Amino acid sequence: FKDDDLRLSFLTGNYATLTNITDDELDHLIAYRFSPMNISVHTTNDRLRRKMMRHPQAGRIMDRLRRITDAGLSVNAQLVICPGINDGDELERTLNDLSGLGPSVQSIALVPVGITRYRQANGLYPLRPFSGAEAAAVIGAVEQMPDKLHHEERGDSIAHLPILCLTGTLKLERVAESLKPRPLPDSERAVVDRMGEAARCDVSESR
């Protein structure tokens, strides 16, 4: 499952949901010191997360995030925000829960749900795009939590808002600024090297 391969997540930047990974497999990745881990959280409400992802193993997300951060590893969280589902009070709960994990949470990307014509054709859960006013309300909810979302070590906010471009009043440059690539720190380069070594061992053992 590409969407739940944390090795690919580390190498290519895609986000994993942790729904198809066992506790033992997660412990194995923690032992390899994979950091940061990119996690699609969406909501920290276990019941709502199972409903949104239609997966019985989608709960316990906070337990798993705590295991990662308690091991001293960093997390980049992604929230795909759906109007009327995980915004409003649910979003406030999620942001409070994630900020409670401390500086190990490096970033929280709030992404507006994308709608295609295939949703209705395939009988998927009915969703609708954000209006400008609803997107502005999401931004307002984040801006009301400056202290909780402040990263003390970096001195900036951990919340990043690709949803800004939906308001019609805020410039896309603010989004682009948060997405600029950064140099790979030595600590993360060392993890990449260990991943390559582990992959070579797996290949040699399979022959």
Side-chain angles (χ1 to χ4, degrees):
F1 299 97
K2 179 180 179 182
D3 286 343
D4 262 309
D5 193 326
L6 276 169
R7 297 169 302 175
L8 287 177
S9 170
F10 186 84
L11 288 172
T12 66
N14 60 293
Y15 284 76
T17 64
L18 301 184
T19 54
N20 292 316
I21 187 172
T22 66
D23 287 340
D24 287 343
E25 289 168 339
L26 181 58
D27 287 340
H28 184 69
L29 294 173
I30 290 173
Y32 269 112
R33 310 301 295 170
F34 281 14
S35 181
M37 293 190 185
N38 301 323
I39 311 297
S40 286
V41 177
H42 307 319
T43 178
T44 55
N45 178 333
D46 287 347
R47 184 174 61 84
L48 179 58
R49 193 169 192 263
R50 285 192 294 267
K51 176 182 177 181
M52 289 182 68
M53 304 191 70
R54 293 189 174 184
H55 197 296
Q57 304 302 319
R60 298 178 52 230
I61 185 61
M62 282 302 297
D63 289 343
R64 291 186 146 196
L65 290 174
R66 286 192 190 96
R67 287 171 65 185
I68 295 169
T69 57
D70 286 350
L73 305 182
S74 298
V75 168
N76 293 315
Q78 176 180 250
L79 313 178
V80 176
I81 308 299
C82 306
I85 298 177
N86 63 336
D87 56 352
D89 291 343
E90 290 292 346
L91 176 59
E92 183 177 351
R93 167 184 172 161
T94 298
L95 293 175
N96 276 318
D97 287 344
L98 293 177
S99 64
L101 295 173
S104 291
V105 178
Q106 292 188 336
S107 67
I108 306 172
L110 286 81
V111 183
V113 65
I115 307 296
T116 72
R117 66 179 184 276
Y118 298 104
R119 293 202 64 82
Q120 185 173 359
N122 290 280
L124 300 178
Y125 189 88
L127 295 173
R128 61 177 178 80
F130 274 91
S131 68
E134 288 170 329
V138 171
I139 295 168
V142 173
E143 292 179 340
Q144 289 176 12
M145 305 174 66
D147 294 335
K148 290 186 177 181
L149 298 177
H150 181 75
H151 196 289
E152 292 184 1
E153 295 177 6
R154 292 202 313 260
D156 61 2
S157 175
I158 61 174
H160 299 281
L161 293 161
I163 203 168
L164 286 174
C165 60
L166 295 183
T167 65
T169 59
L170 298 170
K171 293 184 178 180
L172 191 58
E173 283 79 358
R174 287 177 63 183
V175 181
E177 183 67 25
S178 69
L179 299 177
K180 284 184 177 178
R182 59 178 174 80
L184 190 66
D186 291 341
S187 60
E188 293 181 21
R189 187 172 297 281
V191 175
V192 172
D193 292 341
R194 288 199 296 273
M195 289 171 57
E197 183 177 330
R200 286 192 293 272
C201 290
D202 290 342
V203 171
S204 61
E205 290 174 1
S206 65
R207 289 178 177 173

